[in-house]
Amino acid sequence: MNPPLRRSAFGHLWAAQTASQFGANVTVVALPLVGAVTLRADALELGLLSAAGTLPHLLVSPFAGVWVDRHSRRRLLIGADLVRAALLLAVPVAAVCGMLSLPLLAVLALLIGAQGAVSDVGYSACLPTLVAPEDLARANARFELTASGATIVGSSVGGVAVQMLTGPWALLCNAAAYVVSALFTRRLPETARARRPEAPRQENGAARSPERARTALREEMRIGAAFVLRSRPLRAVTLATTVFNLFLFVSEPPLLVFLTHDLTLPASWIGTVYAASGAGACAGALVAGSVARRLGTTRTLFATLALAGAAGLAVPAAVLAPAPAVPALVAGSHFVTSALVIVFNVTQRTLRTTLTPAELYGRVNASIRTVVLGVAPLGGLAGGWLGHRAGAPTALFAGAIGMAGACLLLLPLRTALPRRTAVRTAGTARP
């Protein structure tokens, strides 16, 4: 069988995902910079903007899988790309008309995030329909390495574009990337479409009512959540990941204020800082398997969370460093933190696969994803409030200490898993 890269269907999906990931990473840098630089938003306002952009993780992700399975995946992906492109075009138009404001930016971030949630699930669902089972590991590896590369390039381009074109006009690059993604997705064959949903069951000659369908959906979701709660290892890892993510998002709004206001870095340097995260992700993906085999699952999970929080302390400490060393110090912190987070995620997601029956993996994964990413809006709001009241460096210290402290929630793994348990890592995993 031909390698995945030589299959035209996979090639179209891969190209579409590459363009979409590039656009998403430009947004990660450019959209908040529009708020911080163009609109001069403070930490609290940036926290509200962050919460708006991440709220779809909680509101949309639990249902995105159902939509993707019941409707044409191809059309949903095209629609998500084109809607995001249109929403991003609204920013420069509003700037020209003198209507650009933080509330408008927050609404756009919310809508863009909702489309992104659907797109992420859609790409994952399309892949198995285009690639043979024996090629899935290789195809997923290509996807994950592409995501890391898109972080490096997209973040760099986003920072440079903001500096050269100003924030609102920089988003035109992003909108163009989504249009390119839609064009490649349009070339996907019909095999990338979801199967038609089964007809409703007949009960006493009548179709099942919508209320019964909703009850069945809730029951399916409950089964996945119950399995996580009954498993001590999954419960501990999920709780630790949730707390780590909470404090990670606490750090995001004050980080942007810290970089733009306290350190007065130009937009191009800020893009470089974010790009360092992508480079760290690549490095982490390359060493994750060997680290887990050498240290065992429990030690790998514990050490990566503790060290990631410790590395985060270098960011607020940058105010004490000589000015020329500040960008390198901040970028280095992001590189190390991202590498450690990827090692953690590869290990914990492989452990999750090992402990979960195949017939429950989708529901278990959805339950965990909703919890660990659902805290993002709360973290963004808390970080914005703390940065506004106590200052960006204090908020960053609090976030780093909270991330490091999350490793304590993994202590039950010492007795729940055999000592030095190692897991196989066939590929990489996205955070």
Side-chain angles (χ1 to χ4, degrees), residues 78-148:
I78 293 173
D81 284 332
L82 294 180
V83 169
R84 283 184 288 184
L87 291 170
L88 289 166
L89 287 174
V91 178
V93 171
V96 170
C97 298
M99 300 174 61
L100 186 61
S101 64
L102 197 67
L104 174 62
L105 210 60
V107 171
L108 292 175
L110 177 67
L111 296 176
I112 291 170
Q115 299 301 319
V118 174
S119 181
D120 288 344
V121 175
Y123 278 118
S124 298
C126 272
L127 185 61
T129 70
L130 301 176
V131 178
E134 61 269 23
D135 287 332
L136 275 175
R138 297 178 61 196
N140 274 307
R142 304 299 193 279
F143 265 43
E144 296 300 339
L145 288 175
T146 297
S148 300

Side-chain angles (χ1 to χ4, degrees), residues 4 20 41 59 62 71 81 169 243 258 266 278 286-287 291 312 383 388 396:
S20 181
L59 300 181
H71 302 284
D81 284 332
W169 293 103
V243 172
F258 184 66
L286 293 174
V287 303
V291 170
H388 179 73
L396 289 170

Side-chain angles (χ1 to χ4, degrees), residues 3-349:
L5 290 179
R6 294 183 180 178
R7 299 186 55 164
S8 59
F10 174 81
H12 297 325
L13 184 67
W14 192 25
Q17 193 255 3
T18 300
S20 181
Q21 286 288 329
F22 171 80
N25 282 285
V26 173
T27 302
V28 166
V29 175
L31 197 65
L33 280 176
V34 172
V37 178
T38 306
L39 300 177
R40 301 298 298 174
D42 60 21
L44 181 58
E45 291 170 328
L46 289 174
L48 292 170
L49 183 61
S50 173
T54 54
L55 191 59
H57 289 310
L58 184 62
L59 300 181
V60 178
S61 291
F63 306 100
V66 177
W67 299 336
V68 166
D69 284 340
R70 291 182 178 179
H71 302 284
S72 166
R73 294 165 183 167
R74 179 172 170 266
R75 292 181 180 177
L76 282 174
L77 288 173
I78 293 173
D81 284 332
L82 294 180
V83 169
R84 283 184 288 184
L87 291 170
L88 289 166
L89 287 174
V91 178
V93 171
V96 170
C97 298
M99 300 174 61
L100 186 61
S101 64
L102 197 67
L104 174 62
L105 210 60
V107 171
L108 292 175
L110 177 67
L111 296 176
I112 291 170
Q115 299 301 319
V118 174
S119 181
D120 288 344
V121 175
Y123 278 118
S124 298
C126 272
L127 185 61
T129 70
L130 301 176
V131 178
E134 61 269 23
D135 287 332
L136 275 175
R138 297 178 61 196
N140 274 307
R142 304 299 193 279
F143 265 43
E144 296 300 339
L145 288 175
T146 297
S148 300
T151 300
I152 299 172
V153 179
S155 299
S156 301
V157 170
V160 172
V162 168
Q163 185 169 336
M164 296 180 62
L165 305 175
T166 73
W169 293 103
L171 293 172
L172 292 176
C173 302
N174 192 1
Y178 286 129
V179 173
V180 171
S181 175
L183 291 174
F184 276 108
T185 303
R186 188 172 179 271
R187 302 179 67 179
L188 292 179
E190 291 302 316
T191 52
R193 295 169 58 108
R195 294 179 179 176
R196 290 185 177 272
E198 296 179 359
R201 292 182 181 178
Q202 300 294 318
E203 297 179 6
N204 298 325
R208 188 169 56 176
S209 68
E211 179 60 33
R212 287 180 178 271
R214 287 192 293 270
T215 301
L217 177 62
R218 288 194 295 268
E219 177 63 18
E220 292 293 309
M221 296 170 66
R222 186 198 66 79
I223 291 173
F227 183 86
V228 176
L229 290 175
R230 288 195 301 268
S231 171
R232 286 183 63 200
L234 291 183
R235 190 170 64 240
V237 171
T238 300
L239 184 58
T241 307
T242 301
V243 172
F244 182 90
N245 281 350
L246 174 66
F247 284 98
L248 178 66
F249 283 103
V250 164
S251 301
E252 286 196 351
L255 173 63
L256 194 55
V257 172
F258 184 66
L259 296 176
T260 57
H261 299 171
D262 293 51
L263 301 182
T264 62
L265 294 181
S268 58
W269 274 107
I270 295 174
T272 302
V273 168
Y274 282 96
S277 297
C282 289
L286 293 174
V287 303
S290 59
V291 170
R293 286 191 296 270
R294 181 178 295 272
L295 298 181
T297 300
T298 301
R299 291 182 180 180
T300 299
L301 295 174
F302 190 93
T304 48
L305 284 194
L307 293 175
L313 291 173
V315 177
V319 294
L320 305 176
V326 167
L329 183 60
V330 175
S333 172
H334 270 59
F335 177 91
V336 173
T337 300
S338 183
L340 291 167
V341 167
I342 287 295
V343 174
F344 174 85
N345 277 293
V346 169
T347 307
Q348 64 94 3
R349 290 187 66 162

